[in-house]
Amino acid sequence: MLKKEYTNWLKQKKKENGEPYSSNTVMQYVSVLFTSPAKLTGIHLDTTNVFEITDASQYSIMREAMKQAKNFDLVNERTGNKAFQYSLDYYEEFLRERESKLSVKAPLSQMSESSITTKGASVANAENKHLLDKNTILYGPPGTGKTYHTFLYAVSIIERKPLSIILQEVETEGYEQIKARFERYKASGQIALTTFHQSYSYEEFIEGIKPRMVSEDNMNSESGEVAYEIVPGVFKRFCEVAQKPIIHDSNDYGIRKQPTIWKVSLGGSKENSIKRDCFSHNRIRIGWDSYGEVVNEETDYSQHGGKMILSRFINEIRSGDIVLVLYDEETIDAIGVVTGDYEWLEDVDAYKRSRNVKWLVKDIRENIMELNGNTVMTLGSVYRLNRISLSDVLAILQRQQTDHVDSVIQKNRNNYVFIIDEINRGNISKIFGELITLIESTKRIGMPEEIMLKLPYSQELFGVPDNVYLLATMNTADRSIARLDTALRRRFSFAEMIPDPSTLASIIVNGELLDLPKMLGIMNKRIEVLYDREHTIGHAYFFELTKEPTLERLGILFEHTIIPLLQEYFYDHYEKIRLVLGDNNKLESEQFIVQTKVNLNELFGHVEELDLEEHVTYKINHGAFRKLEAYRKIYDYKGLMQVHE
């Protein structure tokens, strides 16, 4: 238990005026933190003894949950001077300082990233172990660099480098160099992004049924007819890419990078002379000889059919594709790689259409019924096996102990990162569905507790590969962590991104100093008191000022970004906005929001008998945005007022 350690820490802590807390205040903060959690109602806590919690990230989630209790405000008021609320926040600060000190003794690969600051933002409370977690959410107020850091995290994961190394590269080589690598991985398919919103669905994320126009070359349908097909969602497609084995560019088998898997019947099923000839002469053959060597748009297929099969065999199958040879409706007996274009064989009596192949295995018996979605193979001579992947073929070849297969096709061991922006804006339970179980690190494909579930539309077995990482962002101004789906919270690690004024530098505007770090720091302290820490203002909003330190740019930032953000936070409470901006300590000409009392008698006439309450109106003072003193008095109103006096 850390009760004594926390008590000693509080005794060393200084107030804003530089004075230590009194012994009574220290004991009050420790006491309420020990007793108050048990008084909260309407929430579930694994423990009400916060001093049992030693991990700052775990405690941060617990603290957020406590603040969502139905009677939190009442319990807080009864402790006097909001002692419970302040002590909750101080305990997290204590844990983070404690972790930082412990990390100094640890190797670099285990060091906390919270002490490393970059131009883009600081990584708060994200120990390097989070890089190894399969599912991570970066959360914090707007403008704290969450999206910026997804780029760094993604590159760190893919390159298998500690985040501290990536941050050092940002310092030495610049952020643009890291971003270029991010874009390169994205182009190669190792990174994918999506944004959740209120109408985002399972069908978009995993799979769904969508309409399509039936092709006019389908002789059994009318032009313009609508059909429905099962379409994989963005995450399912991403997982399929991550599972695809790696095919070496130069391989003796001739397999191309993205081969299509085909089913081919050679003279029918079972054993027959056509199949035996193909096995002996390294080729595949089909019939419809009566149409002649060349078939085209003028060919009449009405009597014998076969138009689609011939088109696939002659035009669609490419060199480097893989063919599975039918033995019976559930079983294959050979796997080959197409190595040549279409040929017409004059020296055979029938089945004159041919393509050369290189056989990987022959005369086997492999049941692929389950791989094919529990669907039997039909009598069609040639068609795509869309349900069967290259990974499935690799598994069959490995079971057959085929020589040198591993030198040509290898398991994909690259890391893949799927980024979900604004994860808390979607209906998590609806979007993830059964995937909520599959994303657990211990339930991934290849792990001891591997789980594969049958998808509702396609009836295919689906699992999440072990090399797929989920990285999400969450704006706490929109929704608190405590209100996230409980099942989701259990399966994700959380890295808090907090406003860090120290990443900013003071600027010179019109020849005078503006202390940006101090200004942002005091504004955020006021917001924490008037609202909470989840609605503070991120440091990233102010980065443009370092490039263009002008009064005009400062005015645009406050008038079109900061003020609207505060209006959103403190809806209809302009007096609180004035307090955040320090307008209560300024001359009226320097106030961003001016308060005016309404003269009711002047507005309505004689209203003494109506007993109307005094009314105050507020309006934006556009002139203040062009006065440097309006910004400086946010944080230094005492000194500046004395100078003016």
Side-chain angles (χ1 to χ4, degrees), residues 303-362:
Q303 240 181 345
H304 304 292
K307 177 181 179 181
M308 297 305 296
I309 293 174
L310 290 175
S311 175
R312 293 167 190 150
F313 189 85
I314 297 172
N315 303 313
E316 297 178 32
I317 291 180
R318 295 173 55 189
S319 290
D321 283 349
I322 293 176
V323 293
L324 307 186
V325 177
L326 173 80
Y327 178 75
D328 60 32
E329 61 182 13
E330 298 182 6
T331 309
I332 62 169
D333 57 4
I335 301 175
V337 181
V338 178
T339 58
D341 295 331
Y342 162 65
E343 296 180 70
W344 176 265
L345 303 178
E346 292 286 2
D347 59 343
V348 298
D349 296 331
Y351 292 86
K352 292 178 176 289
R353 305 180 196 281
S354 173
R355 297 192 70 153
N356 290 336
V357 301
K358 185 165 189 173
W359 297 112
L360 302 178
V361 288
K362 297 181 291 187

Side-chain angles (χ1 to χ4, degrees), residues 63-331:
R63 180 178 59 79
E64 290 301 316
M66 286 192 280
K67 286 189 175 182
Q68 299 303 315
K70 295 179 180 178
N71 63 337
F72 177 82
D73 291 337
L74 179 61
V75 172
N76 193 31
E77 289 174 7
R78 288 178 176 175
T79 60
N81 297 320
K82 297 183 179 180
F84 182 35
Q85 174 185 331
Y86 290 135
S87 192
L88 281 173
D89 295 340
Y90 283 152
Y91 190 69
E92 182 172 349
E93 185 180 342
F94 157 72
L95 288 178
R96 299 205 184 285
E97 285 189 15
R98 185 174 182 270
E99 287 181 352
S100 179
K101 291 177 182 177
L102 291 174
S103 68
V104 173
K105 303 175 183 179
L108 179 62
S109 61
Q110 297 176 356
M111 284 182 64
S112 169
E113 304 298 339
S114 60
S115 61
I116 301 175
T117 303
T118 71
K119 181 180 177 182
S122 67
V123 182
N125 318 318
E127 293 184 2
N128 190 61
K129 65 180 182 180
H130 285 154
L131 297 179
L132 303 178
D133 290 338
K134 300 300 180 186
N135 313 310
T136 302
I137 291 178
L138 308 182
Y139 71 100
T144 51
K146 296 181 291 296
T147 301
Y148 171 96
H149 272 87
T150 58
F151 288 26
L152 306 185
Y153 269 69
V155 172
S156 169
I157 290 168
I158 288 175
E159 296 182 354
R160 291 182 170 87
K161 293 179 180 178
L163 185 58
S164 57
I165 300 300
I166 300 299
L167 291 169
Q168 289 171 12
E169 291 179 8
V170 172
E171 291 289 340
T172 57
E173 303 173 27
Y175 174 70
E176 289 304 318
Q177 194 266 352
I178 303 296
K179 188 174 185 294
R181 278 147 62 187
F182 175 93
E183 294 296 340
R184 190 163 63 247
Y185 295 132
K186 181 182 172 185
S188 69
Q190 281 186 262
I191 295 175
L193 303 92
T194 192
T195 301
F196 280 4
H197 49 79
Q198 288 86 344
S199 59
Y200 202 89
S201 66
Y202 175 92
E203 286 72 19
E204 293 174 87
F205 197 55
I206 309 299
E207 69 171 13
I209 298 176
K210 295 186 178 180
R212 65 173 176 83
M213 299 300 294
V214 177
S215 176
E216 293 182 2
D217 61 8
N218 189 331
M219 297 178 61
N220 297 321
S221 65
E222 297 181 4
S223 176
E225 186 178 344
V226 177
Y228 293 87
E229 61 182 347
I230 298 169
V231 178
V234 290
F235 186 70
K236 183 171 183 283
R237 288 197 302 269
F238 187 75
C239 288
E240 289 170 351
V241 171
Q243 270 189 288
K244 283 185 178 179
I246 302 296
I247 299 175
H248 298 292
D249 291 326
S250 56
N251 62 80
D252 295 335
Y253 294 88
I255 303 173
R256 66 187 180 93
K257 276 289 186 184
Q258 302 290 337
T260 301
I261 315 298
W262 299 88
K263 170 259 181 175
V264 176
S265 297
L266 301 178
S269 61
K270 308 292 183 179
E271 178 64 29
N272 60 70
S273 59
I274 301 298
K275 181 181 292 183
R276 189 51 48 193
D277 169 81
C278 289
F279 285 178
S280 300
H281 293 89
N282 295 319
R283 60 193 181 192
I284 53 177
R285 293 163 56 192
I286 63 170
W288 284 276
D289 300 344
S290 60
Y291 295 137
E293 178 181 354
V294 178
V295 293
N296 51 40
E297 295 178 356
E298 298 178 0
T299 303
D300 182 7
Y301 296 97
S302 59
Q303 240 181 345
H304 304 292
K307 177 181 179 181
M308 297 305 296
I309 293 174
L310 290 175
S311 175
R312 293 167 190 150
F313 189 85
I314 297 172
N315 303 313
E316 297 178 32
I317 291 180
R318 295 173 55 189
S319 290
D321 283 349
I322 293 176
V323 293
L324 307 186
V325 177
L326 173 80
Y327 178 75
D328 60 32
E329 61 182 13
E330 298 182 6
T331 309

